[in-house]
Amino acid sequence: MAYELIGKNFTPPDLHAKVTGKAKYSEDVRVDGMVFVKVLGSPMPHARVTAIDDSAALAMPGVHGVLKADEIATNPPAPQETILTNEPLFVGHPILAVAADTEELASDALEKIKLTYEELPFTVDPLQSLYPGGPNARTNGNSMAGPELRDVKWTAQDFAAVQEGQLPQGAPGAEWSFGDLEAGFAAAKVVLDETFVTAGLAHHSMEPRSALSYWQNGKCYLYGSTQSQSFPFPTIARLVGVEAENLVYVSEFCGGGFGSKGGAYPLMAIPALMAKKINRPVMMRVSRHEEYFMGSARAGFQGRIKMGFAADGRVTAADLYIVQECGPNQGFTDWLSAAEAVSLVYQPPAMRFRGVSVMTNTPPRGPQRGPGQNQIAAAVEPLIDKAAKQLGVDRVAIRRLNAPDNSAKLGARQGGVTSAYLKNALDRGAEVFGWAERQARSGQRNGSKVRAVGVGTAFHPAGNSGFDGLVRITPDGKIHIHTGVGNLGTFSHTVTSRVAAEVLKAKWENCEVVRGDSSKHLPWNLGQFGSNTSFTMTRTNYAAAMDAVAKLKEIAAMDLGGAPADYDIGGERVFAKSDPSKGLTYAQAAQRAIALGGKFDGHVAPDDLNAMTKASAAGVAGTGLVGVAKDNVPLTGTVPALAAGFIEIELDTETGKFAVLDYVGVADCGTVLHPQGLDHQIKSGAVMGFGLAASERHIYDPQNGLPGNVGLLQAKPPSYLDVPSEMKTAWLDIADPQNPVGSRGIGEPVQGCAAAALLCAISDALGGHYFNRTPVMPDMIVNAAAKREPSHKPLQVNTA
Amino acid sequence: MSRDMMSAFELYQPDTVEGAAELLGRFGEEGWALAGGNDSFDWFKDRVKRPKYVVDLSGIAALKGIRETPDGGVEIGALTTLTEVERSSVIQGRYKLLADAARRVASPQIRNAGTLGGNVAQDARCWYYRYGVNCYRAGGNTCYADTPEGQNREHCLWGADRCVAVSPSDTAPALVALDATMVIVGKGGQREVKAEEFFIGPNIDITNMTVLKDGDVLTAIRLPAEWSGARFYFEKVADRNTWDFPLVNIAAAMKVSGAAGAEKVDQIRIVAGAVQCVPRRLTVVEQVVQGQAKTAEMASLAGQSAVRGATPLNFNHFKIPLLQNLVTRAIRDA
Amino acid sequence: MADNTNGRNYPEPRFDSFVSKATSRRQFIKGVIFSGAAAAGGGYLLSMAGCSGGGGSAAGVERLLTLNVNGQMRPVDVAPNETLAMTLRYKLGLTGTKLGCDRGECGACTVLLDGVASYSCSTLTHAVRGRAVMTIEGLEGPNGELHKVQQAMIDELGPQCGFCTPGQIMSAVALLNENPTPTRDEVRHALSGNLCRCGAYDHYLNAVMRAATGERVSQA
């Protein structure tokens, strides 16, 4: 399919602001009379606040108010994540907030507040909490079963029944299976039974989630940092306690989220609630340390997988158990998604999943890039290598054999996919990377250094349907593409909007992307998470643009005769197919739309639109020709994003350090919308993958619940010098049949495949030493190379 | 719990060493000498250390610069930035060990502001201590790291004495290897202290990493001619390749004689960082290696000798093979 | 494993222990403001033997400085404990310089001081003195002409979320001013004090190399 705009590079309109410093993130907004709010975070891992004496703080000149949990009517009820709390559940948990003229004064005021605490039991290890009599993160329980909080304990026999280093497998909180597990393992030539640990780690988005709010005439204005623009809106309104028409939410620029800012989060309500209380504009500048505590983290896994492989490497059965560390709240669905990922990536004919999600007194967990899918890729991919080695099968070949294609099934219900070409991706990557040649020289030593290669694959569901689009042609001939897509750094707000321009055959210079401020009448979109945007919002823009095209033709037929089907569009005109000179310019059609009113100019809008879109259509009604529609095209099957990564490293056995010599990332994501952007995501996803694999983790002291690595220095996200100077990318560009331009999303598996490839390469460099743990850090490599035992126990979590 | 806004202090900006010393002497424990600030601001922003008076030394021209001295050595002003030390043609030409060490400190921007004096006078990085707990080093009566489950991956192998923090500096081992002398101006006037004695462990003073007392100003670091132009080896192993403090580092200065392939180590000073509260002079290694052939076997023997008596904690066992390997490399690859 | 309390040993909440210190400092500050002389420091705030260039700055009391920022002399009231990043962002209306960590651990606050890349979050404004401060806002020409690094960042799609971008650009400008023809590896090392959580390193390097050579780098 030859497109004018799709698949072409362009300059995203927000780039200029980003390179000149003009881009305004929340903390850059300035309002006359604004004061500063600072939050008091708990010094203890679990406690009850029994008394708050804020009198000394309130007496300080320049201190405007203190906000406490009890006065927040909209505080989500336990066990949800709270705005403020009197039962802090982790070190750093926000208890109260103080507003003052300056940030320094607010900090001084916090120090004057006297709190009395009652210490409560705590835990930083799910298995400890599962053990009989073990401490619970919450006073009423340690695990959610649906909406119910339960106290889940395994039996002493469960723990005694396993060997040292094996995950005990007590009663699960969730379970599913398909196929004949027993027969599958019986038919296997090689059966692995591996226990593994993947670390929780902080998102550490570059921009801490500062927010600014003020009220004017009963309306709340909130400037916040979210990955998405429309999606968070209803939740923010609820948290702040206003109806939709009384909220203006602006998130024009977001300095990264990686899942932690996909939707609204309770913290963002604090400046709004404080501003309402003290009747002043309030800035909440979140520090890096606070961003660690309140900015979400990936769930940790203590897991075990039993996998059977036939002689040719085909997976015959998989039995997966995951104990998820989900922080002090419900956490996220990593444990469930991990199982789904295993079912998709390896296509086991028989599989069982069991799991339990257990709370700890550590920062709340939320989705982090490939939540579940990327941890399990990091854990399981090296085990695929282990099986391949035992069977004498090539590591790319074994993955190719098991890889999903169009007939793939996934999950408990073994549903289908819209399309999948992971085999092709592996073939392409192997070719670009030169797998055969490099694999042959893998293991070559140069003094203490050894070269090694690795390959990794990953998956994430990547698309949804049922959301709305809104486009508008004004009498000056300009096309305004309204989008609810946020600005998290993928440029997808504009990339997906180009579908509307493509459908309208519009010149890109005549198009304006309208975004970033809820008062600009934006449609209801799904949020920018879950790798969905390139599928979901290409559909919405397609639907809205098609509605506009239909209306253009209708107006032309009305004015010029014939039926709408007699007309075509091109050159920003709608014209008769039989006589192209007979037509209207878009500008003229827009004027006509206003004159006609009704559905043409947005005064009447389809009934199935979301309330937000209806309000937005009403808001632009009368300004031009309005195309507004819900994406009602059915979606059958899961839309997959698939990626493969190929890596060559040189590892120094004496120091435990390695250098990445080469990396090739391959994307199977349908039609490529924006080559430069995809190239960017594959490479940057790899950087995050290297961090997941080899440098980042939570550290907690189990004796006192103190966090060991709060700031960026200690968190160790990869720097320029920890990643290769150059990387290569490739993509299949095979259209998906269930998207109007063939596009699927891609943002998450490009991290997982890189993490997996790196871990496989490290194991390869060490001659087949499998750590069964992430991250693999220099100390672990040094110990392994020196044939020493690791310092940590196999199931130990949150450890240095 | 950090707040990011430093609490208020009075700021003094003298332009002479005497002025600075006089101020610091008067302010005593309520005063604070500020050089580049990279260590200081962390404490201030966390409000863990809160001096009433901060004396900014950055305006004192006399504390900056690298000059060759009449005795054939080099004197480096304490407020000379790490970038200047790294790029100095004199240091690169004659004392490359120090240039190599300075280059590996932190990040370029930190090296642009951070000073050599600040780098050697910096405080321990034990995360418990930095967090603000009331441990021995903070004047309290407990240690959090040296506990049955303490997270002490980055802590010491020797010299544990209630405190198990390590010397985190990259330049300190190099300066000890170069047999540097620290010049200090204080209440009693000016004094000189050998680098090896400048750093102190908990057995001498558990709350200080160096001999600097309230009222002291480290003014210069002198490198003697003795090791100018020697054979050097510096290596730092850290988790990331920028910013991170050393897991272990090694600095060696050697006098080597003989033809290539048949070299002999006549004299050697070799120092390891981040394995003890002070830069650890590996005297056993020096004794083993001195006068011996510079071979792979000797290097291996040196490595083994380096780790004798090491006492690992819960999570830092790796420092034993790592130190062993770094010592081996220093002898083998220098 | 059955013991709930773990013999925990976390620190006492520090709020109580700091109350008294803060109170006395408050009184001290009030004393300075109202009397014009330090209560405890004698005359050292106003004159200093052997300390030319003025005395100390009283705690909490802002003093008027003139800073050379982007080629303009900007008068501004600055407290002793104020960092350059805060002065730029909250007093001089220059929000292009970002606060990513405030600890010198990310580089988002990078500005140039006399052309040298520096973390403005870890620089006391009072310590800047006469050095020329250049921020991201100062790179454009008088008519909005972009600096070649900025243009290259656009052409090579350098940024993603954009939050680290101003700092990256400032470090790149410092490098190219000193070394107009760096190798890619030299660029990598020069920018190694700038973190990018999005991981946009490859494209950033492409952009700086393009700015240096004038040649397109990306093949995508």
Side-chain angles (χ1 to χ4, degrees), chain B:
Chain B
M1 193 59 53
S2 76
R3 294 171 189 85
D4 257 19
M5 301 308 288
M6 301 187 246
S7 50
F9 53 75
E10 282 182 57
L11 180 67
Y12 291 81
Q13 297 182 295
D15 52 11
T16 65
V17 176
E18 296 69 37
E22 198 279 320
L23 286 166
L24 288 166
R26 190 155 27 86
F27 295 147
E29 65 174 20
E30 292 184 310
W32 186 282
L34 183 73
N38 289 297
D39 194 5
S40 308
F41 297 140
D42 231 12
W43 289 118
F44 298 171
K45 286 171 181 174
D46 280 340
R47 298 193 171 201
V48 176
K49 302 207 187 226
R50 312 164 64 126
K52 207 162 158 181
Y53 311 101
V54 172
V55 180
D56 171 17
L57 306 174
S58 68
I60 305 175
L63 289 179
K64 299 178 188 173
I66 301 173
R67 343 161 235 292
E68 294 183 273
T69 52
D71 62 355
V74 158
E75 180 174 283
I76 307 169
L79 266 282
T80 307
T81 69
L82 293 161
T83 297
E84 287 172 62
V85 171
E86 174 198 340
R87 293 184 180 185
S88 155
S89 50
V90 169
I91 302 295
Q92 282 189 7
R94 297 174 52 191
Y95 299 98
K96 187 167 178 297
L97 183 65
L98 182 59
D100 290 344
R103 179 175 310 118
R104 288 289 274 123
V105 174
S107 74
Q109 289 93 321
I110 288 177
R111 296 195 289 277
N112 289 340
T115 65
L116 188 61
N119 192 260
V120 299
Q122 71 177 292
D123 209 343
R125 302 302 306 193
C126 167
W127 71 264
Y128 293 97
Y129 175 52
R130 289 273 163 177
Y131 191 84
V133 300
N134 56 339
C135 66
Y136 287 116
R137 185 161 291 281
N141 60 1
T142 190
C143 172
Y144 289 72
D146 195 11
T147 51
E149 292 176 276
Q151 295 287 359
N152 46 36
R153 171 181 186 258
E154 287 149 34
H155 295 67
C156 71
L157 293 176
W158 288 276
D161 183 340
R162 295 155 296 149
C163 177
V164 292
V166 296
S167 161
S169 165
D170 291 309
T171 62
L175 291 171
V176 173
L178 292 171
D179 201 11
T181 297
M182 314 317 212
V183 182
I184 304 167
V185 165
K187 279 188 172 135
Q190 177 171 300
R191 65 190 196 279
E192 291 170 21
V193 177
K194 282 273 185 195
E196 219 172 323
E197 280 132 42
F198 177 75
F199 303 99
I200 55 177
N203 55 325
I204 295 175
D205 180 352
I206 202 165
T207 63
N208 284 302
M209 299 286 281
T210 71
V211 298
L212 292 172
K213 297 258 177 297
D214 292 330
D216 284 342
V217 178
L218 173 64
T219 60
I221 292 138
R222 291 188 185 141
L223 306 179
E226 179 70 37
W227 295 95
S228 168
R231 184 84 60 92
F232 297 122
Y233 189 88
F234 180 83
E235 189 168 5
K236 166 181 177 177
V237 174
D239 288 316
R240 292 184 302 173
N241 296 324
T242 185
W243 266 302
D244 289 4
F245 287 90
L247 292 171
V248 179
N249 61 22
I250 197 82
M254 280 171 256
K255 296 196 188 162
V256 176
S257 63
E263 287 181 323
K264 190 164 77 86
V265 178
D266 297 324
Q267 274 182 273
I268 177 171
R269 289 175 69 91
I270 180 166
V271 186
V275 294
Q276 192 169 343
C277 192
V278 299
R280 181 178 173 81
R281 176 122 179 255
L282 302 172
T283 45
V284 173
V285 172
E286 292 174 3
Q287 283 159 21
V288 163
V289 168
Q290 188 154 304
Q292 301 299 319
K294 188 173 168 301
T295 62
E297 292 72 35
M298 179 49 53
S300 177
L301 195 60
Q304 289 169 45
S305 68
V307 296
R308 287 177 67 82
T311 308
L313 304 168
N314 304 329
F315 295 103
N316 68 350
H317 306 81
F318 74 98
K319 289 198 179 191
I320 295 174
L322 182 54
L323 174 63
Q324 179 170 343
N325 293 340
L326 286 178
V327 170
T328 302
R329 285 153 84 96
I331 308 302
R332 183 188 73 205
D333 300 340

Side-chain angles (χ1 to χ4, degrees), chain A residues 487-793:
Chain A
N487 191 3
L488 67 166
T490 60
F491 307 104
S492 52
H493 47 71
T494 303
V495 173
T496 54
S497 295
R498 278 159 71 89
V499 170
E502 185 82 47
V503 168
L504 283 163
K505 298 191 179 162
K507 284 210 271 283
W508 184 241
E509 311 84 79
N510 287 343
C511 296
E512 180 210 5
V513 176
V514 180
R515 63 173 195 87
D517 181 335
S518 70
S519 64
K520 291 187 176 178
H521 315 293
L522 307 176
W524 174 243
N525 283 169
L526 186 54
Q528 279 50 78
F529 42 66
S531 302
N532 87 86
T533 301
S534 292
F535 183 94
T536 316
M537 265 56 78
T538 44
R539 273 172 159 244
T540 56
N541 278 294
Y542 180 84
M546 290 298 280
D547 184 55
V549 170
K551 286 167 178 169
L552 284 163
K553 291 181 178 175
E554 248 189 271
I555 292 173
M558 257 190 249
D559 283 11
L560 305 172
D566 301 335
Y567 288 85
D568 203 348
I569 58 166
E572 294 175 358
R573 294 174 66 241
V574 51
F575 56 88
K577 290 176 189 172
S578 56
D579 177 10
S581 68
K582 190 167 96 169
L584 298 168
T585 64
Y586 279 3
Q588 290 166 334
Q591 262 179 327
R592 290 294 297 134
I594 296 171
L596 290 164
K599 68 176 182 185
F600 293 104
D601 74 346
H603 274 99
V604 172
D607 215 39
D608 60 357
L609 294 175
N610 179 279
M612 175 187 287
T613 316
K614 284 184 182 164
S616 295
V620 300
T623 63
L625 188 151
V626 171
V628 61
K630 179 178 176 180
D631 162 36
N632 277 319
V633 177
L635 175 58
T636 52
T638 299
V639 184
L642 292 156
F646 292 75
I647 199 167
E648 184 173 14
I649 66 170
E650 188 172 56
L651 183 146
D652 193 327
T653 55
E654 287 177 340
T655 61
K657 298 281 297 176
F658 60 83
V660 178
L661 302 177
D662 263 303
Y663 179 78
V664 175
V666 187
D668 169 24
C669 58
T671 303
V672 174
L673 301 172
H674 181 206
Q676 247 184 341
L678 178 57
D679 182 73
H680 221 350
Q681 286 304 312
I682 295 172
K683 291 171 174 172
S684 60
V687 170
M688 263 195 125
F690 300 153
L692 175 68
S695 63
E696 299 182 58
R697 74 284 196 227
H698 273 165
I699 300 175
Y700 275 84
D701 186 321
Q703 299 158 126
N704 47 43
L706 293 185
N709 60 348
V710 174
L712 283 172
L713 172 70
Q714 296 166 316
K716 306 182 194 294
S719 75
Y720 276 98
L721 301 184
D722 303 305
V723 305
S725 168
E726 279 180 86
M727 294 193 235
K728 290 192 199 64
T729 62
W731 41 77
L732 302 179
D733 206 10
I734 303 173
D736 185 282
Q738 296 201 46
N739 180 276
V741 295
S743 158
R744 308 193 234 115
I746 193 55
E748 289 165 285
V750 288
Q751 178 195 22
C753 69
L758 175 57
L759 291 164
C760 289
I762 294 172
S763 288
D764 189 42
L766 293 167
H769 178 96
Y770 302 95
F771 293 92
N772 288 27
R773 170 178 285 265
T774 65
V776 172
M777 299 189 65
D779 57 308
M780 294 161 67
I781 298 173
V782 165
N783 280 335
K787 307 264 188 286
R788 283 172 160 259
E789 289 301 303
S791 293
H792 50 264
K793 301 198 197 61

